[in-house]
Amino acid sequence: MSTRASDDVFDRPGRPTLALIAAEAGVSPATVSKVLNGRTDVAAETRRRVEELLRTHNYPGPGGSRRARRSGLIDLVINGLDSPWAIEIMRGVEAECAERGIGMVVSQVGDHDARPPSWQNVAVQHHSDGVILVTSRMAPHQREQLERAGVGLVLVDPVNLPDGDVASVGATNWAGGLAATEHLVGLGHRRIAVIGGPADMLCTQARVDGYRSALERAGIAVDRDLVRYGDFRHEGGFERTRELLALPDPPTAVFAGSDQQAMGAYQAARLAGLRVPEDLSVVGFDDLPACQWMSPPLTTVRQPLEEMGRVAARTLLQLLDGRRPLTPRVELATELRVRGSTAPPRPSDAPERR
């Protein structure tokens, strides 16, 4: 017995099936499913035609069905899982998710770039409700795919400046750079070096700008030879400090853009026969748990990493509930923690450093 078209194109009263949409668009049901799920492997004209038919038939549009059935799962996409900094962020996200009964999937990208390009496909395919992207560059097409699929997005310390309406969480990096440098100026240092992270990162630029502002306020000219950029890791701090100490007029203090770089500066000073802080004062940035156990304990700028992770997760869950944040950019306060790695410079008539 034949079946009327009106019987097989609706899976329940009033709702057309994917088969009907596919037939009218001249594509396969699988292609319609890809459009609904925000997949990128569909030609632009085909996508436009399918989306128009979905609207015509009042079919729940791209992402619509997902918003109606939350999976209770979010993705944390983070650059460098081997970093203690990343662990603190992850700890905060996990704690907030656990309190809300939300599952978390963690994946890693490299070189501050959200690659491979399929990472967002993975989030879409396993029906993630949202993504928290940490210290990575967000490409426009990746954001568009997540939007089409109804997947929420929050950035933590993005590499590049996000669109104005994308929610992001960070710290007061400029104020932190200012406080670190003012502390060294207040001790009497005038030859103060800075070792930032990668030069293209927003947080690096803000911290170095804070350093420059502190010197300018104190009437100290910024010496370009004392401004260096690393990778936020031990190796970068070690190599840049070695270069600085080899200058004809080396610095008496170093502001490292991360605690890991500060650890590298310690090692470079030791190999040069210098003592911290007697011969070289060092300030870090982050306040990782290991700082208080270093020898000497590290003076550093605390950014509330675990709280940043919590706020990012909280913001994402609010977005998924349809609540927009009061401001798309949240910056949590930094705080200078003075310990044993900073001291006044040697008097000018003191014996030369070893």
Coordinates of all heavy atoms in Angstrom, one line a residue, residues 98-187:
A98 N 31.4 21.2 38.9 CA 31.0 20.2 39.8 C 29.9 20.6 40.7 O 28.9 19.9 41.0 CB 32.2 19.8 40.6
E99 N 29.9 21.9 41.1 CA 28.9 22.4 42.0 C 27.5 22.5 41.2 O 26.5 22.5 41.8 CB 29.3 23.8 42.5 CG 30.4 23.8 43.5 CD 30.9 25.1 44.0 OE1 30.2 26.1 43.6 OE2 31.9 25.2 44.7
R100 N 27.6 22.7 39.9 CA 26.4 22.9 39.1 C 25.9 21.6 38.5 O 25.0 21.5 37.7 CB 26.6 23.9 38.0 CG 27.1 25.3 38.5 CD 26.1 26.0 39.3 NE 26.6 27.4 39.6 CZ 26.3 28.4 38.9 NH1 25.6 28.3 37.8 NH2 26.8 29.6 39.2
G101 N 26.7 20.5 38.7 CA 26.3 19.2 38.1 C 26.6 19.1 36.6 O 25.9 18.4 35.9
I102 N 27.6 19.9 36.1 CA 27.9 19.9 34.7 C 29.2 19.1 34.4 O 30.2 19.2 35.2 CB 28.1 21.4 34.3 CG1 26.9 22.2 34.5 CG2 28.5 21.5 32.8 CD1 25.7 21.8 33.7
G103 N 29.2 18.4 33.3 CA 30.4 17.6 32.9 C 31.4 18.5 32.2 O 31.0 19.5 31.6
M104 N 32.7 18.2 32.2 CA 33.7 18.9 31.5 C 34.6 18.0 30.7 O 35.1 17.0 31.2 CB 34.5 19.7 32.5 CG 35.6 20.6 31.9 SD 36.5 21.5 33.2 CE 37.6 20.2 33.8
V105 N 34.8 18.4 29.4 CA 35.8 17.7 28.5 C 36.9 18.7 28.3 O 36.7 19.9 27.9 CB 35.1 17.3 27.2 CG1 36.2 16.8 26.3 CG2 34.0 16.4 27.4
V106 N 38.2 18.2 28.5 CA 39.4 19.1 28.4 C 40.1 18.7 27.1 O 40.4 17.5 26.9 CB 40.3 19.0 29.6 CG1 41.5 19.9 29.4 CG2 39.5 19.4 30.9
S107 N 40.5 19.6 26.3 CA 41.4 19.4 25.1 C 42.4 20.5 25.0 O 42.2 21.6 25.6 CB 40.5 19.3 23.9 OG 39.8 20.5 23.7
Q108 N 43.5 20.1 24.4 CA 44.6 21.1 24.3 C 44.9 21.5 22.9 O 44.7 20.8 21.9 CB 45.9 20.3 24.8 CG 47.2 21.1 24.7 CD 48.4 20.4 25.3 OE1 48.7 20.7 26.4 NE2 49.0 19.6 24.5
V109 N 45.2 22.8 22.7 CA 45.7 23.3 21.5 C 47.1 23.9 21.7 O 47.5 24.1 22.8 CB 44.8 24.4 20.9 CG1 43.4 23.9 20.6 CG2 44.6 25.6 21.9
G110 N 47.8 24.1 20.6 CA 49.2 24.6 20.8 C 49.5 25.9 20.1 O 48.7 26.4 19.3
D111 N 50.6 26.6 20.6 CA 51.1 27.8 20.0 C 50.0 28.9 20.0 O 50.0 29.7 19.1 CB 51.5 27.6 18.6 CG 52.7 26.6 18.5 OD1 53.5 26.6 19.4 OD2 52.7 25.8 17.5
H112 N 49.2 29.0 21.1 CA 48.2 30.0 21.2 C 47.3 30.2 20.1 O 46.7 31.2 19.8 CB 48.9 31.4 21.5 CG 49.9 31.3 22.6 ND1 49.5 31.2 23.9 CD2 51.2 31.4 22.6 CE1 50.5 31.2 24.7 NE2 51.6 31.3 24.0
D113 N 47.1 29.1 19.3 CA 46.2 29.1 18.2 C 45.2 27.9 18.3 O 45.6 26.8 18.6 CB 46.9 29.0 16.9 CG 46.2 29.6 15.7 OD1 45.0 29.9 15.9 OD2 46.7 29.6 14.6
A114 N 43.9 28.2 18.1 CA 42.9 27.1 18.3 C 42.9 26.2 17.1 O 42.1 26.2 16.3 CB 41.5 27.7 18.5
R115 N 43.9 25.3 17.1 CA 44.1 24.3 16.1 C 44.2 22.9 16.7 O 44.5 22.8 17.8 CB 45.3 24.6 15.2 CG 45.2 25.9 14.5 CD 46.5 26.2 13.7 NE 46.3 27.5 13.0 CZ 47.3 28.0 12.2 NH1 48.4 27.3 12.0 NH2 47.1 29.1 11.6
P116 N 43.8 21.8 16.0 CA 43.5 21.8 14.6 C 42.1 22.5 14.4 O 41.3 22.6 15.3 CB 43.4 20.3 14.3 CG 43.1 19.7 15.5 CD 43.8 20.5 16.6
P117 N 41.8 22.9 13.1 CA 40.6 23.6 12.9 C 39.3 22.8 13.3 O 38.3 23.4 13.4 CB 40.6 23.8 11.3 CG 42.1 23.8 11.0 CD 42.7 22.8 11.9
S118 N 39.5 21.5 13.5 CA 38.3 20.7 13.8 C 37.9 20.7 15.2 O 37.0 20.0 15.6 CB 38.6 19.2 13.3 OG 39.7 18.7 14.0
W119 N 38.7 21.4 16.1 CA 38.4 21.4 17.5 C 36.9 21.8 17.8 O 36.2 21.2 18.6 CB 39.3 22.2 18.4 CG 39.1 23.7 18.2 CD1 39.8 24.5 17.4 CD2 38.2 24.5 18.9 NE1 39.4 25.8 17.5 CE2 38.4 25.8 18.4 CE3 37.3 24.3 19.9 CZ2 37.6 26.9 18.9 CZ3 36.5 25.4 20.4 CH2 36.7 26.7 19.9
Q120 N 36.4 22.8 17.0 CA 35.1 23.2 17.3 C 34.1 22.2 16.7 O 33.0 22.1 17.2 CB 34.8 24.6 16.7 CG 34.8 24.7 15.2 CD 36.2 24.8 14.6 OE1 37.2 24.6 15.2 NE2 36.3 25.1 13.3
N121 N 34.5 21.5 15.6 CA 33.6 20.4 15.1 C 33.4 19.3 16.2 O 32.3 18.8 16.4 CB 34.2 19.7 13.9 CG 34.0 20.5 12.6 OD1 33.1 21.3 12.6 ND2 34.9 20.2 11.6
V122 N 34.5 19.0 17.0 CA 34.4 18.0 18.0 C 33.4 18.5 19.1 O 32.5 17.7 19.5 CB 35.7 17.8 18.7 CG1 35.6 16.9 19.9 CG2 36.7 17.2 17.7
A123 N 33.4 19.8 19.5 CA 32.5 20.3 20.5 C 31.1 20.2 20.0 O 30.1 19.9 20.7 CB 32.9 21.8 20.8
V124 N 30.9 20.5 18.7 CA 29.5 20.4 18.1 C 29.0 19.0 18.0 O 27.9 18.7 18.4 CB 29.5 21.1 16.7 CG1 28.2 20.8 16.0 CG2 29.7 22.6 16.8
Q125 N 29.9 18.1 17.6 CA 29.5 16.7 17.4 C 29.1 16.0 18.7 O 28.3 15.1 18.7 CB 30.6 16.0 16.6 CG 30.7 16.4 15.1 CD 31.9 15.9 14.5 OE1 32.7 15.1 15.1 NE2 32.1 16.3 13.2
H126 N 29.8 16.3 19.8 CA 29.4 15.6 21.0 C 28.5 16.4 21.8 O 28.3 16.2 23.0 CB 30.7 15.1 21.8 CG 31.5 16.2 22.4 ND1 32.9 16.1 22.3 CD2 31.2 17.3 23.0 CE1 33.4 17.2 22.9 NE2 32.4 17.9 23.3
H127 N 27.8 17.3 21.1 CA 26.7 18.0 21.7 C 27.0 18.8 22.9 O 26.3 18.9 23.9 CB 25.5 17.1 22.0 CG 25.0 16.3 20.8 ND1 24.5 16.9 19.7 CD2 25.1 15.0 20.5 CE1 24.2 16.0 18.8 NE2 24.5 14.8 19.3
S128 N 28.2 19.4 22.9 CA 28.6 20.3 24.0 C 27.7 21.5 24.1 O 27.3 22.1 23.1 CB 30.0 20.8 23.8 OG 30.4 21.6 24.8
D129 N 27.3 21.9 25.3 CA 26.5 23.1 25.5 C 27.3 24.4 25.3 O 26.8 25.4 24.8 CB 25.9 23.1 26.9 CG 24.9 22.1 27.1 OD1 24.1 21.7 26.1 OD2 24.8 21.5 28.2
G130 N 28.6 24.3 25.6 CA 29.4 25.5 25.5 C 30.9 25.2 25.5 O 31.3 24.1 25.8
V131 N 31.7 26.3 25.2 CA 33.1 26.1 25.1 C 33.8 27.3 25.9 O 33.4 28.4 25.8 CB 33.7 26.2 23.7 CG1 35.2 26.2 23.6 CG2 33.2 25.0 22.9
I132 N 34.8 27.0 26.7 CA 35.6 28.0 27.3 C 37.0 27.8 26.7 O 37.7 26.8 26.8 CB 35.8 27.7 28.9 CG1 34.4 27.9 29.5 CG2 36.8 28.7 29.5 CD1 34.4 27.6 31.0
L133 N 37.4 28.9 26.0 CA 38.7 28.8 25.2 C 39.7 29.7 25.9 O 39.5 30.9 26.1 CB 38.4 29.4 23.8 CG 39.6 29.4 22.8 CD1 40.1 28.0 22.5 CD2 39.2 30.0 21.5
V134 N 40.8 29.1 26.3 CA 41.8 29.7 27.1 C 43.1 30.0 26.3 O 43.7 29.2 25.7 CB 42.2 28.8 28.3 CG1 43.1 29.5 29.3 CG2 40.9 28.4 29.1
T135 N 43.5 31.3 26.4 CA 44.8 31.8 25.9 C 45.0 31.3 24.4 O 46.1 30.8 24.1 CB 46.0 31.5 26.7 OG1 46.1 30.0 26.8 CG2 46.0 32.1 28.1
S136 N 44.0 31.4 23.6 CA 44.1 31.0 22.2 C 43.5 32.1 21.3 O 42.7 33.0 21.8 CB 43.4 29.7 22.0 OG 44.0 28.7 22.7
R137 N 43.9 32.0 20.1 CA 43.4 33.0 19.1 C 42.1 32.4 18.5 O 42.0 31.3 18.1 CB 44.4 33.2 18.0 CG 44.0 34.2 16.9 CD 45.2 34.4 16.0 NE 46.2 35.2 16.5 CZ 47.4 34.7 17.0 NH1 47.6 33.4 16.9 NH2 48.3 35.5 17.5
M138 N 41.0 33.2 18.5 CA 39.7 32.8 18.0 C 39.5 33.3 16.6 O 39.4 34.5 16.4 CB 38.6 33.3 19.0 CG 37.2 32.8 18.7 SD 37.0 31.1 19.0 CE 35.4 30.8 18.4
A139 N 39.4 32.4 15.7 CA 39.1 32.8 14.3 C 37.6 33.1 14.1 O 36.8 32.4 14.7 CB 39.6 31.8 13.3
P140 N 37.3 34.1 13.2 CA 35.8 34.4 13.0 C 35.0 33.2 12.6 O 33.9 33.0 13.1 CB 35.9 35.5 11.9 CG 37.2 36.1 12.1 CD 38.2 35.0 12.5
H141 N 35.6 32.3 11.7 CA 34.8 31.2 11.2 C 34.5 30.2 12.3 O 33.5 29.5 12.3 CB 35.5 30.5 10.0 CG 36.6 29.7 10.4 ND1 37.9 30.1 10.6 CD2 36.7 28.3 10.7 CE1 38.7 29.1 10.9 NE2 38.0 28.0 11.0
Q142 N 35.4 30.1 13.3 CA 35.2 29.2 14.4 C 34.0 29.7 15.3 O 33.2 28.9 15.7 CB 36.5 29.0 15.2 CG 37.6 28.3 14.5 CD 38.9 28.4 15.2 OE1 39.3 29.4 15.7 NE2 39.7 27.3 15.1
R143 N 34.0 31.0 15.6 CA 33.0 31.6 16.3 C 31.6 31.4 15.6 O 30.6 31.0 16.2 CB 33.2 33.0 16.6 CG 32.1 33.7 17.5 CD 32.1 35.1 17.4 NE 31.0 35.7 18.2 CZ 30.6 36.9 18.1 NH1 31.3 37.8 17.5 NH2 29.5 37.3 18.8
E144 N 31.6 31.6 14.3 CA 30.4 31.5 13.5 C 29.8 30.1 13.6 O 28.6 29.9 13.7 CB 30.6 31.9 12.1 CG 30.9 33.4 11.9 CD 31.4 33.8 10.6 OE1 31.5 32.8 9.7 OE2 31.8 34.9 10.4
Q145 N 30.7 29.1 13.5 CA 30.2 27.7 13.6 C 29.6 27.4 14.9 O 28.6 26.8 15.0 CB 31.4 26.8 13.3 CG 30.9 25.3 13.3 CD 32.0 24.3 13.1 OE1 33.2 24.7 13.0 NE2 31.7 23.0 13.1
L146 N 30.2 27.9 16.0 CA 29.7 27.6 17.3 C 28.3 28.3 17.4 O 27.4 27.8 18.0 CB 30.6 28.1 18.4 CG 32.0 27.4 18.5 CD1 32.8 28.0 19.6 CD2 31.8 25.9 18.8
E147 N 28.2 29.5 16.9 CA 26.9 30.3 17.0 C 25.8 29.5 16.2 O 24.7 29.4 16.7 CB 27.1 31.7 16.4 CG 27.8 32.6 17.3 CD 27.8 34.0 16.8 OE1 27.7 34.2 15.5 OE2 28.0 35.0 17.6
R148 N 26.2 29.0 15.0 CA 25.2 28.3 14.2 C 24.7 27.1 15.0 O 23.5 26.7 14.8 CB 25.7 27.9 12.9 CG 25.9 29.1 11.9 CD 26.1 28.6 10.5 NE 27.3 27.7 10.4 CZ 28.4 28.2 10.0 NH1 28.6 29.5 9.7 NH2 29.5 27.4 9.9
A149 N 25.6 26.4 15.7 CA 25.2 25.2 16.4 C 24.6 25.5 17.8 O 24.2 24.5 18.5 CB 26.4 24.3 16.6
G150 N 24.5 26.8 18.2 CA 23.9 27.1 19.5 C 24.8 26.7 20.6 O 24.4 26.5 21.7
V151 N 26.2 26.7 20.4 CA 27.2 26.4 21.4 C 27.7 27.7 22.0 O 28.2 28.5 21.3 CB 28.3 25.5 20.8 CG1 29.4 25.3 21.9 CG2 27.8 24.2 20.3
G152 N 27.5 27.8 23.3 CA 28.0 29.1 24.0 C 29.5 29.2 24.0 O 30.2 28.2 23.8
L153 N 30.0 30.4 24.2 CA 31.4 30.6 24.1 C 31.8 31.7 25.1 O 31.2 32.8 25.2 CB 31.8 31.1 22.7 CG 33.3 31.6 22.5 CD1 34.2 30.4 22.7 CD2 33.5 32.2 21.2
V154 N 32.9 31.4 25.9 CA 33.6 32.4 26.8 C 35.1 32.2 26.6 O 35.6 31.1 26.5 CB 33.2 32.1 28.2 CG1 34.0 33.0 29.2 CG2 31.7 32.4 28.5
L155 N 35.8 33.4 26.5 CA 37.2 33.4 26.3 C 37.9 33.7 27.6 O 37.4 34.5 28.4 CB 37.6 34.4 25.2 CG 36.9 34.3 23.9 CD1 37.4 35.4 22.9 CD2 37.1 32.9 23.3
V156 N 39.0 33.1 27.9 CA 39.9 33.4 29.0 C 41.2 33.9 28.5 O 41.9 33.2 27.8 CB 40.0 32.3 30.0 CG1 41.0 32.6 31.1 CG2 38.7 31.8 30.5
D157 N 41.6 35.1 28.8 CA 42.9 35.7 28.4 C 43.1 35.5 26.9 O 44.1 34.8 26.5 CB 44.1 35.1 29.2 CG 44.6 36.1 30.2 OD1 44.1 37.3 30.2 OD2 45.4 35.8 31.0
P158 N 42.2 35.9 26.0 CA 42.4 35.7 24.6 C 43.6 36.4 24.0 O 44.1 37.4 24.5 CB 41.1 36.4 24.0 CG 40.7 37.4 25.0 CD 41.0 36.8 26.3
V159 N 44.2 35.7 23.0 CA 45.4 36.3 22.4 C 45.1 37.6 21.7 O 45.8 38.6 21.8 CB 46.0 35.2 21.4 CG1 47.2 35.9 20.7 CG2 46.5 34.0 22.2
N160 N 44.1 37.5 20.9 CA 43.7 38.7 20.1 C 42.4 39.3 20.7 O 41.7 38.7 21.4 CB 43.5 38.4 18.6 CG 42.5 37.2 18.4 OD1 42.3 36.4 19.3 ND2 41.8 37.2 17.3
L161 N 42.2 40.6 20.3 CA 41.0 41.3 20.8 C 39.8 40.7 20.3 O 39.6 40.7 19.1 CB 41.1 42.8 20.4 CG 40.1 43.7 21.1 CD1 40.4 43.8 22.6 CD2 40.2 45.1 20.5
P162 N 38.9 40.2 21.1 CA 37.7 39.5 20.6 C 36.6 40.6 20.2 O 36.8 41.8 20.5 CB 37.1 38.8 21.8 CG 37.6 39.5 23.0 CD 39.0 40.1 22.6
D163 N 35.7 40.1 19.4 CA 34.5 41.0 19.0 C 33.9 41.5 20.3 O 33.9 40.8 21.4 CB 33.5 40.2 18.2 CG 34.1 39.8 16.8 OD1 35.1 40.5 16.4 OD2 33.5 38.9 16.2
G164 N 33.3 42.7 20.2 CA 32.8 43.4 21.4 C 31.8 42.6 22.2 O 31.6 42.9 23.4
D165 N 31.0 41.7 21.5 CA 29.9 41.0 22.2 C 30.3 39.6 22.7 O 29.5 38.9 23.2 CB 28.7 41.0 21.3 CG 29.0 40.2 20.0 OD1 30.1 40.1 19.7 OD2 28.0 39.8 19.4
V166 N 31.6 39.3 22.5 CA 32.0 37.9 23.0 C 32.5 38.1 24.5 O 33.3 38.9 24.8 CB 33.2 37.4 22.2 CG1 33.7 36.1 22.7 CG2 32.8 37.3 20.7
A167 N 31.9 37.2 25.3 CA 32.2 37.3 26.7 C 33.7 36.8 26.9 O 34.1 35.8 26.4 CB 31.3 36.4 27.5
S168 N 34.4 37.5 27.8 CA 35.8 37.1 28.1 C 36.1 37.5 29.5 O 35.6 38.4 30.1 CB 36.8 37.8 27.1 OG 36.8 39.2 27.3
V169 N 37.1 36.7 30.1 CA 37.5 36.9 31.5 C 39.0 37.0 31.5 O 39.8 36.3 30.8 CB 37.1 35.7 32.3 CG1 37.6 35.8 33.8 CG2 35.6 35.5 32.3
G170 N 39.5 38.0 32.2 CA 41.0 38.2 32.4 C 41.3 38.8 33.7 O 40.5 38.8 34.6
A171 N 42.5 39.4 33.8 CA 42.9 40.0 35.0 C 43.4 41.5 34.7 O 43.5 41.8 33.5 CB 44.0 39.3 35.7
T172 N 43.6 42.3 35.7 CA 44.0 43.7 35.5 C 45.5 43.7 35.2 O 46.3 44.0 36.1 CB 43.7 44.5 36.7 OG1 44.2 43.9 37.9 CG2 42.2 44.7 36.8
N173 N 45.9 43.2 34.0 CA 47.3 43.1 33.6 C 48.1 44.4 33.6 O 49.2 44.4 34.1 CB 47.4 42.4 32.3 CG 46.9 41.0 32.3 OD1 47.5 40.1 32.9 ND2 45.8 40.7 31.5
W174 N 47.5 45.4 33.2 CA 48.2 46.7 33.2 C 48.5 47.2 34.6 O 49.6 47.6 34.9 CB 47.4 47.8 32.4 CG 48.0 49.1 32.3 CD1 48.9 49.6 31.3 CD2 47.9 50.2 33.3 NE1 49.3 50.8 31.6 CE2 48.8 51.3 32.8 CE3 47.3 50.4 34.5 CZ2 48.9 52.5 33.5 CZ3 47.4 51.6 35.2 CH2 48.2 52.6 34.7
A175 N 47.5 47.1 35.4 CA 47.7 47.5 36.8 C 48.8 46.6 37.5 O 49.5 47.0 38.3 CB 46.4 47.4 37.6
G176 N 48.8 45.3 37.1 CA 49.8 44.4 37.7 C 51.2 44.8 37.3 O 52.1 44.8 38.1
G177 N 51.4 45.1 36.0 CA 52.7 45.5 35.5 C 53.1 46.8 36.2 O 54.3 47.0 36.5
L178 N 52.2 47.7 36.4 CA 52.5 49.0 37.0 C 52.9 48.7 38.5 O 53.9 49.3 38.9 CB 51.2 49.9 37.0 CG 51.3 51.3 37.6 CD1 52.1 52.2 36.7 CD2 50.0 51.8 38.0
A179 N 52.2 47.9 39.2 CA 52.5 47.7 40.6 C 53.9 47.0 40.8 O 54.6 47.3 41.7 CB 51.4 46.8 41.2
A180 N 54.1 46.0 39.9 CA 55.4 45.3 40.0 C 56.6 46.3 39.8 O 57.6 46.3 40.5 CB 55.5 44.2 38.9
T181 N 56.5 47.2 38.8 CA 57.6 48.1 38.5 C 57.7 49.2 39.5 O 58.8 49.6 39.9 CB 57.3 48.7 37.1 OG1 57.1 47.6 36.1 CG2 58.6 49.4 36.6
E182 N 56.5 49.7 40.0 CA 56.6 50.7 41.0 C 57.2 50.2 42.3 O 57.9 50.9 43.0 CB 55.2 51.2 41.3 CG 54.6 52.1 40.2 CD 53.3 52.7 40.6 OE1 52.6 52.1 41.4 OE2 52.9 53.8 40.0
H183 N 57.0 48.9 42.6 CA 57.7 48.3 43.8 C 59.2 48.4 43.6 O 59.9 48.7 44.6 CB 57.2 46.9 43.9 CG 58.0 46.1 44.9 ND1 58.0 46.3 46.2 CD2 58.8 45.0 44.7 CE1 58.7 45.5 46.9 NE2 59.2 44.6 46.0
L184 N 59.7 48.0 42.4 CA 61.1 48.0 42.2 C 61.7 49.4 42.2 O 62.7 49.7 42.7 CB 61.4 47.3 40.9 CG 61.1 45.8 40.8 CD1 61.2 45.3 39.4 CD2 62.1 45.1 41.8
V185 N 60.9 50.4 41.6 CA 61.3 51.8 41.6 C 61.4 52.3 43.1 O 62.3 53.0 43.5 CB 60.4 52.7 40.8 CG1 60.7 54.1 41.0 CG2 60.5 52.3 39.3
G186 N 60.4 51.9 43.9 CA 60.4 52.3 45.3 C 61.6 51.8 46.1 O 61.9 52.4 47.1
L187 N 62.1 50.7 45.7 CA 63.3 50.1 46.4 C 64.6 50.8 45.9 O 65.6 50.6 46.5 CB 63.4 48.6 46.1 CG 62.4 47.7 46.7 CD1 62.5 46.3 46.1 CD2 62.5 47.7 48.2

